[in-house]
Amino acid sequence: MTDAVRWPETWIAKELRARYADLVGLDDAALARHYEDFGRREGRIASPAAQREGLIALVPADASILEIGPFCQPVLTGPNVRYLDVLDAASLRARGEAIGIDTSRTPETIHFTNGLGEAAGQDFDILFSSHNLEHQPDLIGHLKEAAAALAPRGVYVLIVPDRRYCFDHFLPDLTVPRVLDAHLEARMVHTAQSVIEHRAFTCHNDTLRHWHGDHGPEPDGLDGRIDYALNELKAANGGYVDVHAWQFTPQSFESVMTTLNRLGWSPFRPLRVYDTAYGRNEFTAVLTLDGGA
């Protein structure tokens, strides 16, 4: 199924010329230089799949799909879509109503509620995840479970927050040693470090302000914010506290994913990692299994 999908290149000269009048007169070589020197930093859209709507439009309607973490507002719908979340549909709806979000699109059924390992052997064509990967305590473990749920030529399609343009701005990119450390620990819950970082060292979440270089002051009021995180950890008593474990940019994501695959720690290699578009706080990516597309 996914063999028939043509995931666009990350950089397409025709796309840039069609979108930006000031680039029409540049030949391909000049356009490539402009994109490397200016376009990527400016958030120029070099591929139709660089925005979530463009990526989603490429997902075949007849593919078998598992969407991870739809909550009350799934991105993908249809008879071939299955859902995985931590709660069943009724509980998700109740949770959504409690926090005041629209629950009208809550899936009627959550097919898997006992973790991604429950979907092993289902041979999905596509796994889809939007703003979910950063919550995984053990990134390598998650990728291995994802691979086990896919058909041999399946792909993992992702929408991932770019830390530069969201509340994670001041937090460091993921690194291979940190990812390996989490896996070697078989980490099931977030570390105290991740909880403290998320509660005390994040900043505002105004995407356009970040694009314009306004990230706000370095986090302050640390005494109260750290105390809040420590009290939250104490109340959880070793249980799961939902925070971001990992912070990404397209470049750090592609680099770490490539290295993990090369070293044999991940079954996936990056097929496409698209640059973040201006005004967005997320980038898109497609991971493929070794021997896949």
Side-chain angles (χ1 to χ4, degrees):
M1 171 56 62
T2 53
D3 291 351
V5 179
R6 172 63 175 169
W7 303 102
E9 297 293 331
T10 57
W11 185 93
I12 304 171
K14 182 179 179 180
E15 184 79 15
L16 284 163
R17 291 193 190 96
R19 287 180 177 272
Y20 305 105
D22 62 319
L23 304 180
V24 170
L26 300 181
D27 63 24
D28 285 3
L31 203 54
R33 289 194 300 272
H34 181 278
Y35 187 71
E36 289 300 318
D37 293 343
F38 305 105
R40 178 178 287 114
R41 185 172 66 252
E42 294 170 354
R44 303 257 188 162
I45 300 169
S47 176
Q51 295 173 296
R52 67 162 47 222
E53 57 269 28
L55 183 76
I56 292 165
L58 294 166
V59 175
D62 56 348
S64 61
I65 299 166
L66 175 62
E67 180 171 343
I68 300 170
F71 192 33
C72 297
Q73 298 173 334
V75 175
L76 303 174
T77 58
N80 300 319
V81 182
R82 299 293 181 266
Y83 299 107
L84 179 150
D85 216 310
V86 295
L87 300 172
D88 62 24
S91 300
L92 287 177
R93 190 174 293 108
R95 173 63 178 153
E97 290 170 352
I99 62 176
I101 68 169
D102 180 11
T103 62
S104 62
R105 296 181 59 243
T106 306
E108 291 184 7
T109 302
I110 300 297
H111 303 84
F112 305 97
T113 57
N114 294 314
L116 186 51
E118 187 182 8
Q122 294 293 312
D123 284 348
F124 289 103
D125 296 316
I126 294 173
L127 264 61
F128 178 85
S129 168
S130 175
H131 289 247
N132 179 272
L133 196 68
E134 65 277 12
H135 293 269
Q136 302 299 323
D138 176 5
L139 190 56
I140 292 173
H142 174 78
L143 293 171
K144 290 181 176 180
E145 289 186 336
L150 279 172
R153 298 185 69 83
V155 295
Y156 193 175
V157 178
L158 295 141
I159 301 174
V160 184
D162 186 328
R163 69 161 186 82
R164 298 172 296 178
Y165 307 114
C166 71
F167 54 70
D168 282 335
H169 178 84
F170 290 116
L171 300 183
D173 283 347
L174 84 167
T175 63
V176 169
R178 288 178 58 212
V179 173
L180 288 174
D181 182 55
H183 185 60
L184 293 172
E185 285 185 5
R187 196 171 292 161
M188 300 293 291
V189 298
H190 294 302
T191 63
Q193 175 182 323
S194 290
V195 175
I196 292 168
E197 284 179 341
H198 193 94
R199 299 299 187 223
F201 291 88
T202 49
C203 60
H204 73 78
N205 206 38
D206 187 321
T207 300
L208 282 176
R209 281 177 61 192
H210 284 301
W211 270 100
H212 295 156
D214 174 11
H215 311 301
E218 292 279 350
D220 57 9
L222 291 183
D223 290 354
R225 296 170 75 174
I226 290 175
D227 284 346
Y228 178 90
L230 293 175
N231 288 332
E232 188 174 23
L233 285 163
K234 182 177 180 180
N237 193 29
Y240 182 82
V241 178
D242 190 30
V243 297
H244 288 187
W246 313 107
Q247 287 72 36
F248 307 97
T249 67
Q251 292 72 34
S252 66
F253 177 87
E254 183 167 19
S255 174
V256 170
M257 290 296 166
T258 299
T259 300
L260 292 175
N261 177 258
R262 180 174 56 82
L263 295 176
W265 287 99
S266 170
F268 288 101
R269 59 180 172 83
L271 179 65
R272 301 283 188 266
V273 180
Y274 299 97
D275 290 313
T276 305
Y278 173 77
R280 304 292 177 100
N281 66 0
E282 60 191 15
F283 62 93
T284 58
V286 179
L287 303 179
T288 185
L289 295 168
D290 278 335

